[in-house]
């Protein structure tokens, strides 16, 4: 009898999201990470000793710790385990985890990412990422670069962005995994203060505290453990970096997104966005959603971010991986009130760096019965 699963393919065995809160005050960061990692393993009946590797994704500056993995690798389950760290974004960590599985050398792994956004001044950290002689002295930060990005977009205006943000808020209010909040009407969003023209405060989700963990296994491991039932197959991944320079062409072209998305689609053997039942976008502003739809020429009836994306919860560094977790839940039919019917394929699109400099796409497929 032929093996059911492709040996070197990556499968998501389990997903756990820490309770979403604007500010987690009853736990240290180490405790939050430990609880999330342990719950992910317990949920699928895996003992930590059985892991052959751990992948973590975190930011030293946003953690407020120099070389944060020295303090957080053990709470993440990596004590005496083969451990590696991604520092770009949580969704980049998924790419790293997938390549480890696909190498054929690893078979049972834990991926953990987190961001206690409340413990570090977010924009101060972003400003320190500017080059020190020109952009840092003028005070460039994430808000300003997102404003420049919004201004460079063609065919998008504040009114459209306000409607998109209101739609995200309505979806987020239905998501039990998000921060409980009432949706805000488009008119109120349009009247919110400017952050960086044309970007208004209501056009972007507030940062929150949170963490996410995934148990990722190879097809070979699943063939050896027939009682295990994966939630989804990670069928495609792609990533790309754009130029650091914020010229008009770089801001408006969305070339990095197109490259990452195209690579992931080719990896998954899919031809166009219409092959995807759901797309979860890490929309750090409403303009990110509009730009993504335009760049990828998404169909008008495409189901986009039924979870509410970062407007549901936004632990900034790992928000893209949370979008991936929501995509997995959709494919597994376990998304609860935000389930978009039967979902055979779902994609997660994430961004990081100034004005979408970094781009990542992951595609998940349903496991046939």
């Amino acid at each position: 009898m032929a093996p059911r699963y492709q040996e070197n393919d990556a499968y998501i065995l389990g997903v756990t999201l820490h309770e979403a809160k604007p500010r987690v005050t009853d736990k240290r960061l180490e405790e939050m990470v430990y609880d999330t990692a342990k719950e992910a393993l317990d949920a699928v009946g895996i003992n930590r000793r059985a892991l052959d590797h751990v992948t973590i994704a975190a930011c030293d500056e946003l953690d407020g710790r120099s070389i944060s993995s020295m303090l957080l690798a053990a709470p993440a389950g990596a004590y005496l385990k083969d451990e590696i760290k991604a520092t770009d974004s949580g969704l980049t960590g998924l790419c790293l985890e997938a390549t480890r599985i696909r190498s054929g050398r690893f078979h049972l792994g834990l991926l953990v990412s987190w961001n206690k956004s409340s413990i570090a001044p977010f924009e101060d950290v972003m400003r320190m990422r500017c080059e020190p002689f020109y952009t840092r002295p003028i005070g460039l930060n994430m808000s300003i670069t997102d404003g420049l990005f919004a201004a460079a977009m063609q065919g998008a205006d504040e009114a459209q962005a306000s409607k998109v943000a209101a739609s995200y808020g309505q979806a987020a209010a239905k998501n039990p995994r998000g921060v409980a909040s009432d949706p805000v009407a488009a008119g109120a969003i349009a009247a919110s203060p400017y952050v960086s023209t044309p970007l208004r405060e209501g056009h972007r989700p507030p940062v929150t505290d949170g963490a996410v963990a995934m148990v990722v296994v190879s097809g070979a491991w699943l063939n050896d453990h027939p009682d295990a039932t994966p939630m989804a197959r990670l069928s495609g991944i792609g990533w790309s970096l754009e130029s650091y320079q914020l010229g008009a062409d770089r801001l408006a072209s969305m070339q990095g997104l197109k490259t990452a998305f195209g690579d992931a689609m080719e990896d998954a053997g899919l031809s166009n966005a219409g092959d995807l039942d759901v797309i979860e976008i890490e929309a750090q502003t409403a303009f990110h959603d509009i730009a993504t739809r335009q760049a990828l020429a998404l169909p008008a009836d495409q189901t986009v971010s039924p979870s509410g994306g970062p407007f549901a919860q936004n632990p900034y560094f790992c928000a893209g991986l949370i979008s991936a977790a929501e995509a997995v839940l959709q494919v597994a039919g376990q998304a609860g009130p935000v389930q978009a019917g039967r979902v055979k394929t779902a994609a997660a699109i994430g961004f990081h760096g100034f004005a979408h400099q970094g781009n990542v796409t992951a595609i998940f497929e349903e496991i046939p019965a």
Side-chain angles (χ1 to χ4, degrees), residues 247-319:
D249 291 342
R250 144 78 164 86
L251 288 169
S253 71
M254 300 295 287
Q255 187 55 53
L257 165 66
K258 295 173 185 176
T259 298
F261 184 81
D263 289 349
M265 292 289 285
E266 181 179 358
D267 193 27
L270 302 177
S271 58
N272 58 67
D275 293 333
L276 299 167
D277 297 316
V278 166
I279 299 177
E280 285 283 349
I281 301 174
E282 184 198 350
Q284 287 295 333
T285 74
F287 290 97
H288 281 75
D289 174 276
I290 298 169
T292 300
R293 292 173 187 263
Q294 290 179 353
L296 302 181
L298 299 185
D301 60 351
Q302 182 78 59
T303 301
V304 174
S305 298
S307 70
F311 286 78
Q313 61 165 311
N314 188 27
Y316 174 78
F317 184 87
C318 60

Side-chain angles (χ1 to χ4, degrees), residues 59-322:
C59 170
D60 295 351
E61 299 96 327
L62 291 173
D63 283 353
R65 290 158 170 79
S66 177
I67 315 180
S68 68
S69 56
M70 293 176 63
L71 294 174
L72 290 160
Y79 179 66
L80 296 181
K81 296 295 178 182
D82 187 299
E83 172 252 323
I84 196 169
K85 177 182 178 182
T87 60
D88 290 331
S89 71
L91 197 52
T92 306
L94 178 62
C95 295
L96 179 58
E97 170 61 25
T99 56
R100 302 186 85 188
I101 292 288
R102 290 182 175 189
S103 73
R105 298 187 63 183
F106 301 96
H107 299 284
L108 174 58
L110 179 65
L111 167 64
V112 192
S113 185
W114 57 83
N115 194 181
K116 206 173 185 191
S117 309
S118 62
I119 67 176
F122 180 76
E123 286 292 21
D124 288 346
V125 170
M126 294 300 129
R127 192 158 40 247
M128 291 300 293
R129 293 188 172 187
C130 299
E131 59 83 22
F133 300 107
Y134 178 65
T135 55
R136 192 184 298 174
I138 67 172
L140 194 69
N141 59 19
M142 186 67 74
S143 296
I144 294 172
T145 57
D146 282 342
L148 292 171
F149 165 49
M153 285 184 58
Q154 302 293 323
D157 56 28
E158 289 185 39
Q160 184 182 2
S162 297
K163 291 178 182 178
V164 169
S167 175
Y168 265 83
Q170 291 168 0
K174 301 175 185 177
N175 189 343
R177 294 170 295 281
V179 175
S181 59
D182 295 328
V184 181
I189 292 172
S192 63
Y194 279 115
V195 175
S196 177
T197 310
L199 181 66
R200 291 183 179 270
E201 186 65 41
H203 292 152
R204 61 181 189 174
V207 292
T208 63
D209 291 352
V212 55
M214 292 184 178
V215 180
V216 187
V217 299
S218 69
W221 187 92
L222 288 171
N223 289 329
D224 289 339
H225 298 80
D227 292 336
T229 303
M231 299 175 69
R233 172 176 171 255
L234 178 57
S235 59
I237 51 174
W239 61 90
S240 177
L241 282 175
E242 295 198 54
S243 168
Y244 178 81
Q245 298 298 324
L246 297 174
D249 291 342
R250 144 78 164 86
L251 288 169
S253 71
M254 300 295 287
Q255 187 55 53
L257 165 66
K258 295 173 185 176
T259 298
F261 184 81
D263 289 349
M265 292 289 285
E266 181 179 358
D267 193 27
L270 302 177
S271 58
N272 58 67
D275 293 333
L276 299 167
D277 297 316
V278 166
I279 299 177
E280 285 283 349
I281 301 174
E282 184 198 350
Q284 287 295 333
T285 74
F287 290 97
H288 281 75
D289 174 276
I290 298 169
T292 300
R293 292 173 187 263
Q294 290 179 353
L296 302 181
L298 299 185
D301 60 351
Q302 182 78 59
T303 301
V304 174
S305 298
S307 70
F311 286 78
Q313 61 165 311
N314 188 27
Y316 174 78
F317 184 87
C318 60
L321 188 58
I322 288 176

